[in-house]
């Protein structure tokens, strides 16, 4: 059989991009990931390398200086990067989501203003929906923007911004009170330009320090505090207030394919480490891979890797074809993240005591996998999306 997680029907360009990224991951990411992660160090050199390869503009249309590639290409690139170190994929993920939202929903002026500089990696995006008191329940957002004569004033607190300190453009979802009956119709996305860094970066806008996390290190995750922050009305994404929920949901839909791809990447790496170790380690006179209990673990892990990859690819292709993919993206995210947690756990067990040592990569993967069960919507939220879609499609005639 072929190696795991192959994708049929790719173009020559896609194959070329993936081969380049795979080599970059093997040479520039995997050898440095453990040290950088243990030091919680931002991977500045790796990010420069990604800039040079044009990865920040991978999906931005060519007219704005990007490579104009599909969601599928992006997802396969992310899968490879996460195979090396998931945090590195986190650096480009929020950027990719903001670029997608601008491309789909920005005014012509906003696209012109940001997309070329985003393609070059000069403007780096992050996005913010979550607050200290809400994550899943997006419509309950409390941070509020009030319209004045010359623009809006924002007050409130945001939580869990990936790349909050290292980005310079944040798409922020806030309440604007459009007088709509439904809460989610009173939400607006603002494009907040800010300097990189921590502290009071602009009058009324503070990025406190990095949140200390169990994994997903190196990449910064922060809060964002608005205290009388003033912003011009032309920074409303798309120009019309009240559309923010729709914009963000479109963003997280592609984000879910991306999280599925990250989970696939970690699972592939865990499998690679496990099958290598299982052939080296001997107990009771033979390699542990020759004990059926371990061989069966490898078979199950590989089957999960393959299933998750295929569902992720299917969800990406559906979106690329212009069709709705909320159910498929939800299914891909659900299965890939749950399988990723299971596969890393099994790879850890195969490593015996050494899996618990910081010298072995599997301990890092074990700490990274749980984030994928939460980010871009928990498994419970994916099941809610999937079941709603199914009930829509299979409506009872009774
Ligand atoms: C490292 C990290 C990075 C992040 N980066 C970002 C970012 O860049 N931008 C951003 O906006 N957010 C980000 N988040 C936030 C993330 O999206 C939320 O944590 C996630 O959506 C869950 O929200 P919550 O933490 O408030 O959990 P809650 O919504 O409080 O949920 C708690 C538990 O209740 C369950 N639950 C909630 N509602 C239901 C329901 N209706 N039915 C059944 N079960 C339910 C959940 O599944 C979960 O198990 C990040 C989070 C982390 C940990």
């Amino acid at each position: 059989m072929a190696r795991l997680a192959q994708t049929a029907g790719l173009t020559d360009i896609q194959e070329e991009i993936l081969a380049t990224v795979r080599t970059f991951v093997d040479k520039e990411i995997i050898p440095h990931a453990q040290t950088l992660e243990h030091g919680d160090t931002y991977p500045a050199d790796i990010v420069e390398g990604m800039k040079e390869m044009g990865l920040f503009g991978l999906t931005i249309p060519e007219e704005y200086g990007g490579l104009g590639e599909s969601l599928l290409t992006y997802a396969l690139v992310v899968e490879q990067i996460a195979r090396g170190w998931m945090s590195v994929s986190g650096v480009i993920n929020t950027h990719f989501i903001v670029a997608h939202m601008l491309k789909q929903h920005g005014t012509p002026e906003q696209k012109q203003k940001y997309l070329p500089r985003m393609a070059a990696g000069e403007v780096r995006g992050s996005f913010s929906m979550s607050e200290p008191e809400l994550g899943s329940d997006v419509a309950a957002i409390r941070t509020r923007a009030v319209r004045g004569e010359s623009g809006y004033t924002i007050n409130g607190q945001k939580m869990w911004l990936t790349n909050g300190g290292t980005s310079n453009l944040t798409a922020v979802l806030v309440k604007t009170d459009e007088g709509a009956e439904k809460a989610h119709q009173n939400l607006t996305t603002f494009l907040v330009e800010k300097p990189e860094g921590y502290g009071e970066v602009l009058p009324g806008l503070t990025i406190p320090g990095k949140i200390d996390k169990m994994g997903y290190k190196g990449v910064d995750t922060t809060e964002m505090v608005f205290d009388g922050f003033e912003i011009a009305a032309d920074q409303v994404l798309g120009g019309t207030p009240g559309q923010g929920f729709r914009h963000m949901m479109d963003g997280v839909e592609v984000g879910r394919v991306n999280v599925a791809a990250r989970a696939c990447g970690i699972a592939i790496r865990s499998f690679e480490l496990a099958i290598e170790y299982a052939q080296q380690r001997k107990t009771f006179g033979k390699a542990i891979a020759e004990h059926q209990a371990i061989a069966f673990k490898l078979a199950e892990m590989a089957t999960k890797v393959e299933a998750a990859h295929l569902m992720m690819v299917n969800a990406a292709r559906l979106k690329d074809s212009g069709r709705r993919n909320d159910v498929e993206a939800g299914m891909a995210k659900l299965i890939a993240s749950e399988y990723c947690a299971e596969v890393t756990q099994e790879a850890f067990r195969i490593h015996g005591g050494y899996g618990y040592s910081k010298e072995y990569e599997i301990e890092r993967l074990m700490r990274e996998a749980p984030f994928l069960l939460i980010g871009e919507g928990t498994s419970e939220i994916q099941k809610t999306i999937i079941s709603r879609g199914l009930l829509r499609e299979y409506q009872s005639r009774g």
Side-chain angles (χ1 to χ4, degrees):
M1 70 163 280
R3 295 222 141 204
L4 291 180
Q6 302 295 306
T7 313
L10 296 181
T11 63
D12 290 347
I13 295 178
Q14 286 175 315
E15 295 282 11
E16 204 178 302
I17 293 173
L18 283 175
T20 309
V21 172
R22 208 174 292 126
T23 307
F24 180 78
V25 168
D26 287 337
K27 287 195 175 153
E28 309 295 338
I29 301 185
I30 290 178
H32 306 291
Q34 283 300 91
T35 312
L36 290 170
E37 204 265 355
H38 289 165
D40 199 5
T41 311
Y42 187 75
D45 291 344
I46 295 173
V47 171
E48 271 313 303
M50 294 200 298
K51 256 190 214 174
E52 279 166 26
M53 283 193 287
L55 294 189
F56 282 92
L58 191 61
T59 55
I60 293 177
E62 285 169 301
E63 59 179 306
Y64 298 109
L67 298 176
E69 273 296 325
S70 61
L71 175 60
L72 176 63
T73 313
Y74 179 77
L76 294 174
V77 164
V78 164
E79 183 182 55
Q80 282 304 320
I81 293 176
R83 192 186 127 252
W85 182 19
M86 197 261 286
S87 295
V88 177
S89 66
V91 174
I92 51 171
N93 176 43
T94 61
H95 177 86
F96 158 76
I97 291 178
V98 177
H100 174 82
M101 284 164 56
L102 271 162
K103 186 176 74 176
Q104 296 299 119
H105 310 290
T107 63
E109 295 74 27
Q110 288 169 345
K111 290 182 197 183
Q112 207 54 58
K113 184 174 176 189
Y114 294 117
L115 288 177
R117 286 187 295 143
M118 289 186 88
E122 286 163 26
V123 169
R124 302 258 304 279
S126 56
F127 80 96
S128 171
M129 294 193 290
S130 306
E131 297 186 358
E133 292 179 34
L134 64 100
S136 308
D137 189 6
V138 176
I141 277 177
R142 295 175 176 191
T143 299
R144 184 179 292 252
V146 177
R147 180 92 208 225
E149 271 174 30
S150 60
Y152 289 83
T153 305
I154 308 182
N155 282 293
Q157 187 175 349
K158 296 304 231 178
M159 182 77 188
W160 297 118
L161 275 87
T162 302
N163 298 306
T166 46
S167 59
N168 45 18
L169 178 68
T170 307
V172 188
L173 190 62
V174 303
K175 216 166 173 210
T176 44
D177 296 321
E178 304 307 319
E181 210 178 289
K182 295 191 171 147
H184 72 274
Q185 291 168 343
N186 292 309
L187 297 175
T188 299
T189 304
F190 282 88
L191 299 166
V192 175
E193 272 190 67
K194 65 174 188 66
E196 292 170 35
Y198 303 94
E200 190 169 66
V201 290
L202 287 174
L205 178 62
T206 301
I207 307 288
K210 290 167 30 168
I211 299 170
D212 198 10
K213 298 164 292 190
M214 77 185 254
Y216 201 28
K217 290 184 180 279
V219 62
D220 51 293
T221 305
T222 71
E223 295 168 51
M224 188 178 217
V225 184
F226 295 95
D227 183 10
F229 178 71
E230 301 204 344
I231 186 161
D234 61 7
Q235 292 302 100
V236 168
L237 178 65
T240 315
Q243 305 294 314
F245 185 82
R246 191 171 59 84
H247 297 158
M248 283 282 177
M249 289 306 122
D250 184 31
V252 292
E253 207 166 285
V254 291
R256 275 174 195 146
V257 175
N258 168 277
V259 172
R262 289 203 239 179
C264 290
I266 293 184
I268 292 169
R269 185 67 185 154
S270 298
F271 173 79
E272 287 172 354
L273 295 170
I275 199 162
E276 173 68 24
Y277 188 82
Q279 292 170 87
Q280 309 285 335
R281 180 74 174 173
K282 290 198 170 58
T283 66
F284 303 94
K286 55 185 175 184
I288 58 171
E290 290 174 35
H291 297 299
Q292 194 182 51
I294 300 295
F296 277 16
K297 274 190 199 296
L298 293 170
E300 283 172 15
M301 289 159 76
T303 307
K304 287 175 181 172
V305 165
E306 200 61 6
H309 175 80
L310 291 173
M311 287 189 72
M312 179 273 285
V313 167
N314 178 53
R317 283 197 159 130
L318 209 59
K319 186 78 175 177
D320 284 335
S321 71
R323 278 174 287 167
R324 184 172 183 166
N325 84 334
D326 55 343
V327 170
E328 291 77 4
M331 285 177 169
K333 199 265 168 183
L334 174 67
I335 206 91
S337 59
E338 294 286 349
Y339 277 177
C340 173
E342 290 169 22
V343 169
T344 46
Q345 171 81 236
E346 290 298 57
F348 165 75
R349 288 170 193 248
I350 287 174
H351 279 75
Y354 290 102
Y356 214 66
S357 158
K358 286 228 164 194
E359 267 184 48
Y360 284 73
E361 232 176 297
I362 192 62
E363 68 81 25
R364 170 170 60 79
L365 303 175
M366 276 282 288
R367 288 183 287 106
E368 287 174 345
F371 166 59
L372 301 170
L373 299 167
I374 307 289
E376 313 288 355
T378 62
S379 292
E380 289 73 27
I381 295 303
Q382 304 312 317
K383 288 179 197 171
T384 307
I385 294 166
I386 296 165
S387 54
R388 272 191 200 141
L390 292 173
L391 289 166
R392 206 170 48 227
E393 195 62 35
Y394 287 80
Q395 255 182 32
S396 165
R397 296 198 194 117

